[in-house]
Amino acid sequence: SEGPKVPKEKKEKVPTDNRNYVANPKEEFVAVDLAIHPQKTEPPVFNSNGTGRKSVFMFKDKKPGEIVDYMLNPLIEHVVKMYNINLRNNIKELTVAKFRAWLGIHFMTYAWKYPDLKRYWNSGTYARMKIPDLSSIMPYADYIEIRRHLRFEDYRRESELKQTDKAWKVRSLLNIVKGIFRDVNPAPGQMLSLDEAMVKYTGNRCPVVVGAPNKPINRGIKFYMLVDYETGVIVDFIMHDGSATAEMGQNHPGGGVGKHVIDLIDVLP
């Protein structure tokens, strides 16, 4: 008769690695003395070439509402102006106060989502939570009307603008935002960070949408962002709209991306 079976010895698997070396699970590591470890050194001293930190500190004693007003007022005024320029028949004129109310409702419905937008204009409860009644602020029909007719550019110039700019519908809006960032931080510090950023977009009619299959946001609008490391405030940004071609990047290290880098640092003081 056969004796008891001896279990086979399991071979230790070496983890695969796609980099230019083979990982060794038996590799010995030297203990690090945390007292003298580089990460324990004092933070670097920033030699700022401007007053970026001082300009950001102007918000230190401001209330959140005052900061929002400072940042959004130029955008609100522009949107109201463009809305009224592009008015169609039987559409009510938009005022700054009405659009501010609409914007507040829009932010709230985005952050606290119900499956049906009309629920916000009713009373009662949903999922054991009280439903806010927004009818005292703005009728539901007015909210939908404003959302449906929002315009950020003068559409009388459509034939002129769309020939040279894929993002002509939001170009003025982007320029205002860039101006606000430069006003908040006109002279950034010496340490800067530049990288790509994606804004999620799920529609199908935007001509500047790009795909990034291996990124957390795999479809959206791509930006090249320049950020002040000391304050964390955006200094400038460029939207990837196809205007920088491969031919334009031939004289720059990194091609088209290198051109974006040069364009971003050109705005520095």
Side-chain angles (χ1 to χ4, degrees):
S1 63
E2 297 181 0
K5 294 183 178 180
V6 179
K8 295 181 179 179
E9 184 181 354
K10 293 183 179 180
K11 296 182 179 180
E12 188 175 3
K13 293 183 179 180
V14 178
T16 57
D17 200 313
N18 296 325
R19 290 169 286 189
N20 59 356
Y21 66 91
V22 178
N24 183 4
K26 297 182 179 180
E27 184 178 359
E28 296 181 359
F29 294 91
V30 179
V32 176
D33 185 358
L34 295 179
I36 59 172
H37 195 272
Q39 293 181 357
K40 294 294 181 179
T41 58
E42 294 296 324
V45 177
F46 295 97
N47 296 319
S48 300
N49 59 355
T51 56
R53 179 175 287 275
K54 292 181 181 179
S55 61
V56 174
F57 277 173
M58 68 182 178
F59 298 116
K60 182 178 179 181
D61 299 324
K62 300 291 185 182
K63 297 179 180 178
E66 294 174 336
I67 298 175
V68 171
D69 286 343
Y70 183 89
M71 301 292 287
L72 293 184
N73 273 342
L75 291 171
I76 292 174
E77 293 173 359
H78 174 78
V79 173
V80 170
K81 179 182 178 181
M82 291 298 107
Y83 185 97
N84 293 328
I85 285 178
N86 295 287
L87 272 183
R88 298 180 182 179
N89 295 332
N90 302 322
I91 302 299
K92 302 175 185 176
E93 186 175 351
L94 185 63
T95 63
V96 170
K98 191 172 184 179
F99 183 66
R100 288 172 66 91
W102 183 93
L103 201 59
I105 294 174
H106 180 71
F107 287 157
M108 178 183 175
T109 55
Y110 181 82
W112 187 8
K113 293 184 179 180
Y114 284 129
D116 184 8
L117 187 63
K118 288 184 179 179
R119 288 186 182 273
Y120 294 97
W121 277 263
N122 297 319
S123 58
T125 60
Y126 176 77
R128 298 184 179 181
M129 292 189 297
K130 185 178 180 181
I131 297 176
D133 187 5
L134 301 180
S135 59
S136 59
I137 301 174
M138 178 181 294
Y140 175 75
D142 287 2
Y143 177 85
I144 296 299
E145 179 180 275
I146 294 173
R147 188 178 71 172
R148 186 174 297 163
H149 295 91
L150 277 180
R151 299 291 185 272
F152 308 125
E153 189 55 82
D154 186 354
Y155 273 52
R156 295 173 298 184
R157 303 178 57 200
E158 178 177 0
S159 57
E160 169 194 351
L161 296 174
K162 71 179 182 180
Q163 294 180 2
T164 57
D165 189 359
K166 288 183 179 181
W168 67 274
K169 293 182 180 181
V170 295
R171 183 64 63 188
S172 297
L173 212 61
L174 293 176
N175 291 337
I176 293 174
V177 174
K178 294 172 73 163
I180 293 173
F181 284 135
R182 292 177 185 174
D183 185 36
V184 170
N185 193 0
Q190 186 178 2
M191 300 283 188
L192 300 171
S193 175
L194 194 153
D195 203 351
E196 298 176 353
M198 287 284 285
V199 177
K200 189 174 183 179
Y201 182 82
T202 57
N204 57 6
R205 300 179 62 181
C206 181
V208 296
V209 169
V210 297
N214 298 323
K215 299 290 186 179
I217 299 178
N218 55 19
R219 185 175 185 273
I221 302 172
K222 183 164 73 172
F223 290 86
Y224 298 95
M225 315 286 289
L226 183 65
V227 179
D228 182 8
Y229 179 81
E230 185 180 4
T231 60
V233 176
I234 296 174
V235 177
D236 199 7
F237 63 87
I238 296 176
M239 183 171 65
H240 180 78
D241 56 4
S243 58
T245 62
E247 291 76 14
M248 295 179 181
Q250 289 180 353
N251 298 326
H252 297 280
V257 177
K259 183 181 185 306
H260 287 309
V261 173
I262 299 299
D263 291 342
L264 282 171
I265 63 177
D266 276 346
V267 304
L268 299 176

mmCIF file of all heavy atoms in Angstrom, residues 52-91:
data_model
loop_
_atom_site.group_PDB
_atom_site.id
_atom_site.type_symbol
_atom_site.label_atom_id
_atom_site.label_comp_id
_atom_site.label_asym_id
_atom_site.label_seq_id
_atom_site.Cartn_x
_atom_site.Cartn_y
_atom_site.Cartn_z
ATOM 1 N N GLY A 52 3.307 86.892 -4.068
ATOM 2 C CA GLY A 52 2.189 85.975 -4.218
ATOM 3 C C GLY A 52 1.516 85.647 -2.910
ATOM 4 O O GLY A 52 0.294 85.700 -2.785
ATOM 5 N N ARG A 53 2.317 85.312 -1.884
ATOM 6 C CA ARG A 53 1.730 84.954 -0.601
ATOM 7 C C ARG A 53 0.964 86.134 -0.002
ATOM 8 O O ARG A 53 -0.106 85.973 0.573
ATOM 9 C CB ARG A 53 2.831 84.471 0.345
ATOM 10 C CG ARG A 53 2.324 84.084 1.721
ATOM 11 C CD ARG A 53 3.431 83.500 2.562
ATOM 12 N NE ARG A 53 3.774 82.171 2.119
ATOM 13 C CZ ARG A 53 3.152 81.067 2.498
ATOM 14 N NH1 ARG A 53 2.108 81.163 3.305
ATOM 15 N NH2 ARG A 53 3.527 79.887 2.074
ATOM 16 N N LYS A 54 1.487 87.348 -0.129
ATOM 17 C CA LYS A 54 0.815 88.506 0.432
ATOM 18 C C LYS A 54 -0.521 88.739 -0.267
ATOM 19 O O LYS A 54 -1.504 89.109 0.363
ATOM 20 C CB LYS A 54 1.703 89.747 0.296
ATOM 21 C CG LYS A 54 2.960 89.705 1.168
ATOM 22 C CD LYS A 54 3.771 90.970 0.997
ATOM 23 C CE LYS A 54 5.052 90.923 1.848
ATOM 24 N NZ LYS A 54 5.871 92.134 1.673
ATOM 25 N N SER A 55 -0.562 88.537 -1.595
ATOM 26 C CA SER A 55 -1.799 88.770 -2.321
ATOM 27 C C SER A 55 -2.865 87.752 -1.942
ATOM 28 O O SER A 55 -4.047 88.079 -1.882
ATOM 29 C CB SER A 55 -1.542 88.720 -3.830
ATOM 30 O OG SER A 55 -1.057 87.449 -4.217
ATOM 31 N N VAL A 56 -2.470 86.505 -1.669
ATOM 32 C CA VAL A 56 -3.430 85.493 -1.248
ATOM 33 C C VAL A 56 -3.921 85.768 0.158
ATOM 34 O O VAL A 56 -5.083 85.528 0.498
ATOM 35 C CB VAL A 56 -2.789 84.088 -1.335
ATOM 36 C CG1 VAL A 56 -3.730 83.038 -0.769
ATOM 37 C CG2 VAL A 56 -2.451 83.757 -2.764
ATOM 38 N N PHE A 57 -3.059 86.322 1.017
ATOM 39 C CA PHE A 57 -3.434 86.606 2.392
ATOM 40 C C PHE A 57 -4.465 87.723 2.507
ATOM 41 O O PHE A 57 -4.979 87.972 3.589
ATOM 42 C CB PHE A 57 -2.198 86.974 3.212
ATOM 43 C CG PHE A 57 -1.444 85.776 3.718
ATOM 44 C CD1 PHE A 57 -0.231 85.913 4.362
ATOM 45 C CD2 PHE A 57 -1.954 84.503 3.534
ATOM 46 C CE1 PHE A 57 0.453 84.806 4.831
ATOM 47 C CE2 PHE A 57 -1.283 83.392 3.984
ATOM 48 C CZ PHE A 57 -0.076 83.536 4.644
ATOM 49 N N MET A 58 -4.777 88.397 1.396
ATOM 50 C CA MET A 58 -5.813 89.418 1.482
ATOM 51 C C MET A 58 -7.177 88.806 1.770
ATOM 52 O O MET A 58 -8.109 89.507 2.176
ATOM 53 C CB MET A 58 -5.881 90.219 0.180
ATOM 54 C CG MET A 58 -6.386 89.449 -1.017
ATOM 55 S SD MET A 58 -6.377 90.477 -2.508
ATOM 56 C CE MET A 58 -6.953 89.324 -3.738
ATOM 57 N N PHE A 59 -7.317 87.476 1.592
ATOM 58 C CA PHE A 59 -8.566 86.793 1.892
ATOM 59 C C PHE A 59 -8.610 86.253 3.318
ATOM 60 O O PHE A 59 -9.587 85.619 3.701
ATOM 61 C CB PHE A 59 -8.772 85.618 0.926
ATOM 62 C CG PHE A 59 -8.884 86.027 -0.511
ATOM 63 C CD1 PHE A 59 -7.931 85.633 -1.435
ATOM 64 C CD2 PHE A 59 -9.946 86.796 -0.940
ATOM 65 C CE1 PHE A 59 -8.026 86.005 -2.760
ATOM 66 C CE2 PHE A 59 -10.061 87.172 -2.264
ATOM 67 C CZ PHE A 59 -9.097 86.783 -3.180
ATOM 68 N N LYS A 60 -7.561 86.482 4.088
ATOM 69 C CA LYS A 60 -7.440 85.853 5.403
ATOM 70 C C LYS A 60 -8.605 86.195 6.322
ATOM 71 O O LYS A 60 -9.150 85.331 7.022
ATOM 72 C CB LYS A 60 -6.114 86.273 6.051
ATOM 73 C CG LYS A 60 -5.864 85.636 7.401
ATOM 74 C CD LYS A 60 -4.520 86.061 7.966
ATOM 75 C CE LYS A 60 -4.266 85.437 9.333
ATOM 76 N NZ LYS A 60 -2.956 85.856 9.905
ATOM 77 N N ASP A 61 -9.022 87.443 6.343
ATOM 78 C CA ASP A 61 -10.077 87.879 7.245
ATOM 79 C C ASP A 61 -11.424 88.029 6.541
ATOM 80 O O ASP A 61 -12.357 88.610 7.104
ATOM 81 C CB ASP A 61 -9.690 89.211 7.895
ATOM 82 C CG ASP A 61 -8.411 89.098 8.723
ATOM 83 O OD1 ASP A 61 -8.217 88.049 9.350
ATOM 84 O OD2 ASP A 61 -7.609 90.062 8.720
ATOM 85 N N LYS A 62 -11.520 87.507 5.337
ATOM 86 C CA LYS A 62 -12.765 87.607 4.587
ATOM 87 C C LYS A 62 -13.681 86.433 4.901
ATOM 88 O O LYS A 62 -13.231 85.331 5.199
ATOM 89 C CB LYS A 62 -12.477 87.630 3.079
ATOM 90 C CG LYS A 62 -11.611 88.780 2.622
ATOM 91 C CD LYS A 62 -12.332 90.113 2.720
ATOM 92 C CE LYS A 62 -11.490 91.231 2.133
ATOM 93 N NZ LYS A 62 -12.143 92.552 2.247
ATOM 94 N N LYS A 63 -14.969 86.668 4.810
ATOM 95 C CA LYS A 63 -15.949 85.597 4.965
ATOM 96 C C LYS A 63 -16.040 84.810 3.657
ATOM 97 O O LYS A 63 -15.730 85.339 2.586
ATOM 98 C CB LYS A 63 -17.309 86.184 5.333
ATOM 99 C CG LYS A 63 -17.321 86.919 6.668
ATOM 100 C CD LYS A 63 -18.691 87.497 6.955
ATOM 101 C CE LYS A 63 -18.705 88.228 8.292
ATOM 102 N NZ LYS A 63 -20.017 88.831 8.577
ATOM 103 N N PRO A 64 -16.491 83.543 3.726
ATOM 104 C CA PRO A 64 -16.586 82.743 2.488
ATOM 105 C C PRO A 64 -17.410 83.416 1.396
ATOM 106 O O PRO A 64 -17.050 83.376 0.222
ATOM 107 C CB PRO A 64 -17.244 81.437 2.962
ATOM 108 C CG PRO A 64 -16.849 81.331 4.399
ATOM 109 C CD PRO A 64 -16.800 82.742 4.921
ATOM 110 N N GLY A 65 -18.508 84.056 1.798
ATOM 111 C CA GLY A 65 -19.340 84.736 0.803
ATOM 112 C C GLY A 65 -18.615 85.884 0.121
ATOM 113 O O GLY A 65 -18.790 86.125 -1.079
ATOM 114 N N GLU A 66 -17.776 86.605 0.860
ATOM 115 C CA GLU A 66 -17.021 87.718 0.289
ATOM 116 C C GLU A 66 -15.961 87.210 -0.691
ATOM 117 O O GLU A 66 -15.716 87.840 -1.731
ATOM 118 C CB GLU A 66 -16.365 88.523 1.409
ATOM 119 C CG GLU A 66 -17.366 89.225 2.325
ATOM 120 C CD GLU A 66 -16.708 89.901 3.512
ATOM 121 O OE1 GLU A 66 -15.590 89.487 3.897
ATOM 122 O OE2 GLU A 66 -17.305 90.843 4.060
ATOM 123 N N ILE A 67 -15.350 86.070 -0.365
ATOM 124 C CA ILE A 67 -14.355 85.494 -1.279
ATOM 125 C C ILE A 67 -15.023 85.034 -2.573
ATOM 126 O O ILE A 67 -14.510 85.265 -3.672
ATOM 127 C CB ILE A 67 -13.630 84.322 -0.594
ATOM 128 C CG1 ILE A 67 -12.886 84.817 0.648
ATOM 129 C CG2 ILE A 67 -12.661 83.650 -1.566
ATOM 130 C CD1 ILE A 67 -12.238 83.711 1.449
ATOM 131 N N VAL A 68 -16.195 84.396 -2.431
ATOM 132 C CA VAL A 68 -16.925 83.931 -3.619
ATOM 133 C C VAL A 68 -17.319 85.114 -4.486
ATOM 134 O O VAL A 68 -17.216 85.071 -5.718
ATOM 135 C CB VAL A 68 -18.164 83.116 -3.194
ATOM 136 C CG1 VAL A 68 -19.046 82.820 -4.398
ATOM 137 C CG2 VAL A 68 -17.733 81.809 -2.530
ATOM 138 N N ASP A 69 -17.784 86.209 -3.850
ATOM 139 C CA ASP A 69 -18.156 87.398 -4.619
ATOM 140 C C ASP A 69 -16.966 87.947 -5.385
ATOM 141 O O ASP A 69 -17.082 88.321 -6.562
ATOM 142 C CB ASP A 69 -18.709 88.479 -3.678
ATOM 143 C CG ASP A 69 -20.105 88.140 -3.184
ATOM 144 O OD1 ASP A 69 -20.754 87.276 -3.801
ATOM 145 O OD2 ASP A 69 -20.532 88.737 -2.172
ATOM 146 N N TYR A 70 -15.821 88.013 -4.727
ATOM 147 C CA TYR A 70 -14.625 88.555 -5.370
ATOM 148 C C TYR A 70 -14.228 87.708 -6.578
ATOM 149 O O TYR A 70 -13.836 88.245 -7.623
ATOM 150 C CB TYR A 70 -13.482 88.609 -4.362
ATOM 151 C CG TYR A 70 -12.210 89.219 -4.900
ATOM 152 C CD1 TYR A 70 -11.988 90.593 -4.813
ATOM 153 C CD2 TYR A 70 -11.237 88.434 -5.515
ATOM 154 C CE1 TYR A 70 -10.825 91.160 -5.311
ATOM 155 C CE2 TYR A 70 -10.076 88.999 -6.017
ATOM 156 C CZ TYR A 70 -9.875 90.355 -5.912
ATOM 157 O OH TYR A 70 -8.726 90.910 -6.429
ATOM 158 N N MET A 71 -14.332 86.388 -6.443
ATOM 159 C CA MET A 71 -13.889 85.494 -7.512
ATOM 160 C C MET A 71 -14.907 85.383 -8.641
ATOM 161 O O MET A 71 -14.539 85.218 -9.813
ATOM 162 C CB MET A 71 -13.618 84.101 -6.930
ATOM 163 C CG MET A 71 -12.571 84.060 -5.830
ATOM 164 S SD MET A 71 -10.910 84.420 -6.407
ATOM 165 C CE MET A 71 -10.529 82.909 -7.283
ATOM 166 N N LEU A 72 -16.192 85.455 -8.320
ATOM 167 C CA LEU A 72 -17.227 85.155 -9.315
ATOM 168 C C LEU A 72 -17.875 86.381 -9.941
ATOM 169 O O LEU A 72 -18.521 86.259 -10.993
ATOM 170 C CB LEU A 72 -18.319 84.284 -8.682
ATOM 171 C CG LEU A 72 -17.924 82.859 -8.282
ATOM 172 C CD1 LEU A 72 -19.136 82.106 -7.774
ATOM 173 C CD2 LEU A 72 -17.305 82.118 -9.452
ATOM 174 N N ASN A 73 -17.758 87.559 -9.322
ATOM 175 C CA ASN A 73 -18.447 88.734 -9.862
ATOM 176 C C ASN A 73 -18.111 89.027 -11.322
ATOM 177 O O ASN A 73 -19.013 89.308 -12.120
ATOM 178 C CB ASN A 73 -18.161 89.960 -8.993
ATOM 179 C CG ASN A 73 -19.137 90.080 -7.838
ATOM 180 O OD1 ASN A 73 -20.204 89.471 -7.849
ATOM 181 N ND2 ASN A 73 -18.782 90.843 -6.821
ATOM 182 N N PRO A 74 -16.821 89.001 -11.737
ATOM 183 C CA PRO A 74 -16.537 89.242 -13.161
ATOM 184 C C PRO A 74 -17.197 88.213 -14.077
ATOM 185 O O PRO A 74 -17.668 88.568 -15.171
ATOM 186 C CB PRO A 74 -15.004 89.140 -13.226
ATOM 187 C CG PRO A 74 -14.543 89.420 -11.838
ATOM 188 C CD PRO A 74 -15.586 88.855 -10.948
ATOM 189 N N LEU A 75 -17.251 86.961 -13.654
ATOM 190 C CA LEU A 75 -17.892 85.925 -14.464
ATOM 191 C C LEU A 75 -19.395 86.150 -14.547
ATOM 192 O O LEU A 75 -19.999 86.019 -15.622
ATOM 193 C CB LEU A 75 -17.605 84.542 -13.869
ATOM 194 C CG LEU A 75 -16.168 84.041 -13.950
ATOM 195 C CD1 LEU A 75 -16.009 82.768 -13.129
ATOM 196 C CD2 LEU A 75 -15.777 83.769 -15.393
ATOM 197 N N ILE A 76 -20.006 86.478 -13.410
ATOM 198 C CA ILE A 76 -21.452 86.688 -13.386
ATOM 199 C C ILE A 76 -21.844 87.845 -14.304
ATOM 200 O O ILE A 76 -22.800 87.755 -15.084
ATOM 201 C CB ILE A 76 -21.920 86.940 -11.946
ATOM 202 C CG1 ILE A 76 -21.766 85.664 -11.105
ATOM 203 C CG2 ILE A 76 -23.364 87.430 -11.911
ATOM 204 C CD1 ILE A 76 -22.064 85.851 -9.633
ATOM 205 N N GLU A 77 -21.112 88.943 -14.213
ATOM 206 C CA GLU A 77 -21.430 90.104 -15.051
ATOM 207 C C GLU A 77 -21.291 89.774 -16.531
ATOM 208 O O GLU A 77 -22.109 90.204 -17.354
ATOM 209 C CB GLU A 77 -20.512 91.266 -14.671
ATOM 210 C CG GLU A 77 -20.774 91.818 -13.268
ATOM 211 C CD GLU A 77 -19.754 92.859 -12.853
ATOM 212 O OE1 GLU A 77 -18.833 93.133 -13.667
ATOM 213 O OE2 GLU A 77 -19.862 93.395 -11.729
ATOM 214 N N HIS A 78 -20.272 89.000 -16.896
ATOM 215 C CA HIS A 78 -20.082 88.632 -18.300
ATOM 216 C C HIS A 78 -21.211 87.727 -18.782
ATOM 217 O O HIS A 78 -21.752 87.924 -19.882
ATOM 218 C CB HIS A 78 -18.738 87.932 -18.473
ATOM 219 C CG HIS A 78 -18.523 87.392 -19.856
ATOM 220 N ND1 HIS A 78 -18.162 88.190 -20.927
ATOM 221 C CD2 HIS A 78 -18.631 86.123 -20.356
ATOM 222 C CE1 HIS A 78 -18.057 87.456 -22.012
ATOM 223 N NE2 HIS A 78 -18.337 86.200 -21.705
ATOM 224 N N VAL A 79 -21.581 86.735 -17.987
ATOM 225 C CA VAL A 79 -22.629 85.795 -18.395
ATOM 226 C C VAL A 79 -23.961 86.512 -18.564
ATOM 227 O O VAL A 79 -24.691 86.274 -19.533
ATOM 228 C CB VAL A 79 -22.745 84.648 -17.368
ATOM 229 C CG1 VAL A 79 -23.953 83.766 -17.689
ATOM 230 C CG2 VAL A 79 -21.481 83.801 -17.369
ATOM 231 N N VAL A 80 -24.295 87.409 -17.642
ATOM 232 C CA VAL A 80 -25.549 88.161 -17.745
ATOM 233 C C VAL A 80 -25.552 89.021 -19.005
ATOM 234 O O VAL A 80 -26.562 89.089 -19.729
ATOM 235 C CB VAL A 80 -25.753 89.029 -16.486
ATOM 236 C CG1 VAL A 80 -26.922 89.992 -16.680
ATOM 237 C CG2 VAL A 80 -25.991 88.141 -15.275
ATOM 238 N N LYS A 81 -24.433 89.636 -19.302
ATOM 239 C CA LYS A 81 -24.331 90.470 -20.508
ATOM 240 C C LYS A 81 -24.533 89.644 -21.769
ATOM 241 O O LYS A 81 -25.299 90.028 -22.668
ATOM 242 C CB LYS A 81 -22.972 91.172 -20.537
ATOM 243 C CG LYS A 81 -22.750 92.041 -21.755
ATOM 244 C CD LYS A 81 -21.357 92.676 -21.727
ATOM 245 C CE LYS A 81 -21.107 93.507 -22.977
ATOM 246 N NZ LYS A 81 -19.748 94.107 -22.958
ATOM 247 N N MET A 82 -23.862 88.499 -21.857
ATOM 248 C CA MET A 82 -23.986 87.653 -23.047
ATOM 249 C C MET A 82 -25.382 87.042 -23.159
ATOM 250 O O MET A 82 -25.909 86.873 -24.265
ATOM 251 C CB MET A 82 -22.933 86.535 -23.002
ATOM 252 C CG MET A 82 -21.503 87.011 -23.169
ATOM 253 S SD MET A 82 -21.197 87.813 -24.771
ATOM 254 C CE MET A 82 -21.069 89.534 -24.273
ATOM 255 N N TYR A 83 -25.982 86.714 -22.029
ATOM 256 C CA TYR A 83 -27.345 86.158 -22.036
ATOM 257 C C TYR A 83 -28.320 87.150 -22.660
ATOM 258 O O TYR A 83 -29.154 86.789 -23.502
ATOM 259 C CB TYR A 83 -27.751 85.805 -20.610
ATOM 260 C CG TYR A 83 -29.090 85.105 -20.484
ATOM 261 C CD1 TYR A 83 -29.157 83.721 -20.392
ATOM 262 C CD2 TYR A 83 -30.288 85.826 -20.424
ATOM 263 C CE1 TYR A 83 -30.378 83.067 -20.256
ATOM 264 C CE2 TYR A 83 -31.508 85.194 -20.299
ATOM 265 C CZ TYR A 83 -31.552 83.809 -20.212
ATOM 266 O OH TYR A 83 -32.762 83.172 -20.086
ATOM 267 N N ASN A 84 -28.216 88.411 -22.247
ATOM 268 C CA ASN A 84 -29.143 89.419 -22.755
ATOM 269 C C ASN A 84 -28.848 89.811 -24.199
ATOM 270 O O ASN A 84 -29.758 90.185 -24.941
ATOM 271 C CB ASN A 84 -29.099 90.648 -21.845
ATOM 272 C CG ASN A 84 -29.647 90.356 -20.455
ATOM 273 O OD1 ASN A 84 -30.544 89.528 -20.290
ATOM 274 N ND2 ASN A 84 -29.096 91.011 -19.437
ATOM 275 N N ILE A 85 -27.587 89.723 -24.615
ATOM 276 C CA ILE A 85 -27.256 90.014 -26.009
ATOM 277 C C ILE A 85 -27.866 88.967 -26.932
ATOM 278 O O ILE A 85 -28.328 89.286 -28.036
ATOM 279 C CB ILE A 85 -25.723 90.072 -26.189
ATOM 280 C CG1 ILE A 85 -25.168 91.376 -25.614
ATOM 281 C CG2 ILE A 85 -25.333 89.933 -27.661
ATOM 282 C CD1 ILE A 85 -23.663 91.489 -25.699
ATOM 283 N N ASN A 86 -27.883 87.723 -26.463
ATOM 284 C CA ASN A 86 -28.380 86.628 -27.299
ATOM 285 C C ASN A 86 -29.840 86.275 -27.029
ATOM 286 O O ASN A 86 -30.274 85.163 -27.347
ATOM 287 C CB ASN A 86 -27.521 85.379 -27.065
ATOM 288 C CG ASN A 86 -26.090 85.559 -27.530
ATOM 289 O OD1 ASN A 86 -25.793 85.581 -28.709
ATOM 290 N ND2 ASN A 86 -25.176 85.703 -26.571
ATOM 291 N N LEU A 87 -30.604 87.211 -26.451
ATOM 292 C CA LEU A 87 -32.003 86.933 -26.119
ATOM 293 C C LEU A 87 -32.821 86.591 -27.365
ATOM 294 O O LEU A 87 -32.677 87.215 -28.423
ATOM 295 C CB LEU A 87 -32.630 88.145 -25.434
ATOM 296 C CG LEU A 87 -32.505 88.254 -23.913
ATOM 297 C CD1 LEU A 87 -33.248 89.476 -23.415
ATOM 298 C CD2 LEU A 87 -33.037 87.005 -23.235
ATOM 299 N N ARG A 88 -33.679 85.602 -27.214
ATOM 300 C CA ARG A 88 -34.626 85.259 -28.265
ATOM 301 C C ARG A 88 -36.002 85.802 -27.894
ATOM 302 O O ARG A 88 -36.214 86.328 -26.804
ATOM 303 C CB ARG A 88 -34.688 83.739 -28.438
ATOM 304 C CG ARG A 88 -33.365 83.127 -28.865
ATOM 305 C CD ARG A 88 -33.500 81.627 -29.023
ATOM 306 N NE ARG A 88 -32.232 81.015 -29.396
ATOM 307 C CZ ARG A 88 -32.067 79.715 -29.572
ATOM 308 N NH1 ARG A 88 -33.088 78.882 -29.392
ATOM 309 N NH2 ARG A 88 -30.885 79.229 -29.911
ATOM 310 N N ASN A 89 -36.936 85.645 -28.822
ATOM 311 C CA ASN A 89 -38.286 86.152 -28.583
ATOM 312 C C ASN A 89 -38.918 85.426 -27.400
ATOM 313 O O ASN A 89 -38.746 84.221 -27.214
ATOM 314 C CB ASN A 89 -39.156 85.947 -29.831
ATOM 315 C CG ASN A 89 -38.646 86.780 -31.000
ATOM 316 O OD1 ASN A 89 -38.035 87.836 -30.795
ATOM 317 N ND2 ASN A 89 -38.887 86.323 -32.213
ATOM 318 N N ASN A 90 -39.680 86.178 -26.602
ATOM 319 C CA ASN A 90 -40.457 85.659 -25.473
ATOM 320 C C ASN A 90 -39.585 85.113 -24.342
ATOM 321 O O ASN A 90 -40.074 84.367 -23.487
ATOM 322 C CB ASN A 90 -41.433 84.562 -25.940
ATOM 323 C CG ASN A 90 -42.383 85.064 -27.012
ATOM 324 O OD1 ASN A 90 -42.840 86.209 -26.969
ATOM 325 N ND2 ASN A 90 -42.682 84.200 -27.983
ATOM 326 N N ILE A 91 -38.291 85.458 -24.319
ATOM 327 C CA ILE A 91 -37.403 85.046 -23.228
ATOM 328 C C ILE A 91 -37.181 86.246 -22.312
ATOM 329 O O ILE A 91 -36.894 87.352 -22.776
ATOM 330 C CB ILE A 91 -36.057 84.523 -23.767
ATOM 331 C CG1 ILE A 91 -36.292 83.352 -24.726
ATOM 332 C CG2 ILE A 91 -35.159 84.094 -22.620
ATOM 333 C CD1 ILE A 91 -36.983 82.163 -24.096
#
